Amino acid sequence: MKNIRALHIASFNGNIGDNANHNGFRNRLKEIFYCAIEYDEIEIREFYQSWNIRNFNSSEFIDLCNSYDLVIIGGGNFFELKWDYSYTGTTINIRSESLNKIDTPILFNGVGCDIAKGASESAISKFKSFLEIITNDNKYLVSVRNDGSYETIKKLYGDRYSDKIYRVPDGAFFLETKKFDFPELNNSLKSIGINIVSDMKDIRFNKELKDGIEYNDFINSISEELNTFLKINSDYQIILFPHIYSDLNAINNLLEQIDDRYRRTRIVIAPCLTGSGSEEYIFGLYKECELILGMRFHSNVCSIAQNIPTIALSSYKKIIDLYKELNLSDRVIEINKKGFQKELSEQVKYTIINKEDIKLRYKMINENVKNESTDFYKKIKEWTEENGLG
């Protein structure tokens, strides 16, 4: 098989979890293919209206795609149906006429389909038209990640695409990290890692729902719990992990309510990094923790993937869906509901005591995830050969 030149369009300078996704995805391709794949990257934000640098429908973009052997779009949450201006109702704002002019095969890899932020009838209709094109032509291969996206598409369109779209593990399940000389670690203390967020407060936290609480109630409760934990457990430190710049706001909100003695001596903040390779440092530091409490999707995926015990801090449906698909629903706490603090306290104690059993459980799950993914990655190889890349 000849070497493949691939144009990869995705988020490379956004959420560090996206970098972990690409890391693992490329690792799996390397295991399956018998040739080298050379990647050129385009940041998908260059196509966003906010950046306005590139256009999916320009002759320049179409010609660029046609100069490569393969185009990869994803992973990422690019089938989010909230963009009425878009020709597809999604971030991938491309006309059918433009798609038809691209001769290069296109892999839509592990894309998230999300309607939690709302989806208009117009967007749902346009996305259906888009799916009709990309699921009925062998020039395209379509997959969605295991965060409830497959179920979302079934909810919208029934079984119409069930045998045409692959449901695949997020690429970050196959992440590889490196060990560094981490200055964040204190050799005399054990570490617990925490990722908290402050974006989409109106969606994540709604006091009007049954037992719902507001964002500030969450911050008050979790800071109280951490103060208590650090007082009782003098042999632990907390590492706070931002995945994107907005997480720094949540970290600041939390630190403001932490006892100053602990804030200065037993809490550290990991760097906020972006770009290819940064995931090797951040998730390598994750690996040094006994336990991860994570709100973001990839905080959980990258921990589970490395057999690190997790407690999912769920305020968004995709976290619940992820753990449900992995048969790990008992590891989830809904932190946007009253009473979560007591549940969190009990779960932290249980996890520390039973961490080795949890690691073993995660190891078995990861073996299953890899085995289940093999058919899809073999399908990619078969599909590329059918499109003349063999």
Side-chain angles (χ1 to χ4, degrees):
M1 197 173 187
K2 70 174 185 178
N3 290 354
I4 294 174
R5 292 182 63 248
L7 179 65
H8 193 173
I9 303 164
S11 170
F12 298 100
N13 295 103
N15 189 317
I16 196 170
D18 295 325
N19 300 108
N21 186 335
H22 311 323
N23 175 315
F25 165 68
R26 294 179 183 183
N27 287 335
R28 279 303 265 146
L29 282 188
K30 192 188 303 180
E31 294 172 2
I32 298 294
F33 280 70
Y34 303 118
C35 67
I37 303 177
E38 302 168 7
Y39 298 93
D40 287 334
E41 300 173 352
I42 294 181
E43 172 61 48
I44 196 166
R45 287 172 179 80
E46 294 186 9
F47 297 92
Y48 287 7
Q49 285 189 328
S50 56
W51 284 33
N52 196 29
I53 297 173
R54 295 181 188 265
N55 187 330
F56 280 111
N57 301 293
S58 67
S59 58
E60 289 82 4
F61 175 71
I62 293 167
D63 290 344
L64 179 65
C65 289
N66 284 330
S67 70
Y68 284 85
D69 302 314
L70 175 66
V71 174
I72 302 168
I73 300 178
N77 206 36
F78 305 146
F79 288 168
E80 187 179 53
L81 304 185
K82 59 170 289 189
W83 308 108
D84 285 333
Y85 71 85
S86 169
Y87 291 102
T88 66
T90 75
T91 299
I92 306 165
N93 181 23
I94 190 165
R95 296 189 186 99
S96 57
E97 294 85 357
S98 300
L99 272 176
N100 291 334
K101 293 176 182 177
I102 298 174
D103 298 319
T104 304
I106 301 175
L107 168 63
F108 294 90
N109 172 54
V111 182
C113 181
D114 194 348
I115 58 173
K117 297 178 185 176
S120 69
E121 290 300 321
S122 172
I124 292 170
S125 176
K126 287 189 284 188
F127 185 53
K128 182 180 179 182
S129 298
F130 179 56
L131 287 179
E132 286 294 314
I133 296 172
I134 64 175
T135 61
N136 287 292
D137 187 329
N138 197 46
K139 186 172 70 174
Y140 311 105
L141 185 61
V142 185
S143 65
V144 294
R145 65 190 184 192
N146 59 339
D147 63 348
S149 294
Y150 189 83
E151 285 72 22
T152 296
I153 291 174
K154 286 190 71 173
K155 180 180 177 181
L156 291 172
Y157 310 113
D159 292 326
R160 188 177 185 88
Y161 305 107
S162 295
D163 61 348
K164 297 180 178 181
I165 295 177
Y166 286 82
R167 175 171 52 186
V168 301
D170 187 272
F173 276 102
F174 315 113
L175 166 77
E176 291 181 1
T177 59
K178 296 178 181 177
K179 188 173 179 62
F180 296 85
D181 182 17
F182 297 109
E184 296 87 356
L185 298 176
N186 183 330
N187 292 331
S188 65
L189 297 172
K190 293 175 283 189
S191 297
I192 291 178
I194 300 178
N195 162 252
I196 58 172
V197 309
S198 61
D199 61 325
M200 302 189 304
K201 291 177 187 174
D202 56 333
I203 295 174
R204 294 181 184 276
F205 298 93
N206 187 347
K207 199 170 185 178
E208 301 305 313
L209 297 178
K210 182 181 179 182
D211 296 325
I213 63 173
E214 294 179 345
Y215 169 77
N216 288 338
D217 298 324
F218 159 68
I219 290 294
N220 292 338
S221 294
I222 196 168
S223 60
E224 181 179 336
E225 189 55 39
L226 289 180
N227 280 325
T228 300
F229 177 85
L230 291 169
K231 181 178 181 180
I232 296 172
N233 299 277
S234 59
D235 55 340
Y236 279 89
Q237 70 167 5
I238 302 294
I239 302 177
L240 299 173
F241 287 95
H243 280 209
I244 191 171
Y245 69 91
S246 63
D247 293 353
L248 294 169
N249 183 58
I251 289 172
N252 184 63
N253 296 154
L254 176 67
L255 287 176
E256 286 179 339
Q257 300 198 45
I258 296 294
D259 187 304
D260 193 50
R261 294 167 296 174
Y262 307 140
R263 188 167 51 200
R264 293 178 182 274
T265 60
R266 289 167 57 203
I267 292 185
V268 295
I269 305 171
C272 186
L273 303 178
T274 63
S276 298
S278 56
E279 77 284 353
E280 295 178 342
Y281 184 92
I282 294 301
F283 295 113
L285 182 55
Y286 262 60
K287 206 170 182 178
E288 302 295 325
C289 297
E290 280 197 0
L291 164 65
I292 296 292
L293 281 60
M295 286 182 73
R296 290 209 179 275
F297 180 79
H298 282 106
S299 178
N300 289 277
V301 169
C302 294
S303 301
I304 295 169
Q306 298 184 97
N307 304 318
I308 308 166
T310 58
I311 299 174
L313 306 180
S314 175
S315 62
Y316 198 55
K317 183 177 179 293
K318 72 169 66 174
I319 300 296
I320 294 174
D321 290 339
L322 169 69
Y323 276 75
K324 182 179 179 181
E325 291 205 18
L326 297 173
N327 293 316
L328 285 173
S329 295
D330 57 300
R331 306 298 306 160
V332 178
I333 295 176
E334 295 185 70
I335 47 87
N336 52 7
K337 294 184 177 180
K338 294 176 182 176
F340 87 85
Q341 184 179 343
K342 182 175 185 294
E343 187 179 356
L344 178 60
S345 176
E346 292 171 351
Q347 188 70 276
V348 168
K349 292 173 187 174
Y350 174 86
T351 302
I352 290 173
I353 293 170
N354 297 281
K355 59 181 180 292
E356 295 306 322
D357 289 339
I358 296 170
K359 288 179 183 178
L360 182 60
R361 184 181 176 190
Y362 283 15
K363 183 179 180 181
M364 295 173 64
I365 287 171
N366 284 315
E367 288 173 357
N368 289 336
V369 166
K370 186 166 186 178
N371 290 336
E372 290 170 1
S373 74
T374 298
D375 286 345
F376 171 66
Y377 283 93
K378 286 182 176 177
K379 175 60 181 177
I380 295 177
K381 184 173 182 292
E382 175 187 310
W383 170 76
T384 56
E385 291 172 348
E386 291 171 356
N387 277 279
L389 301 184

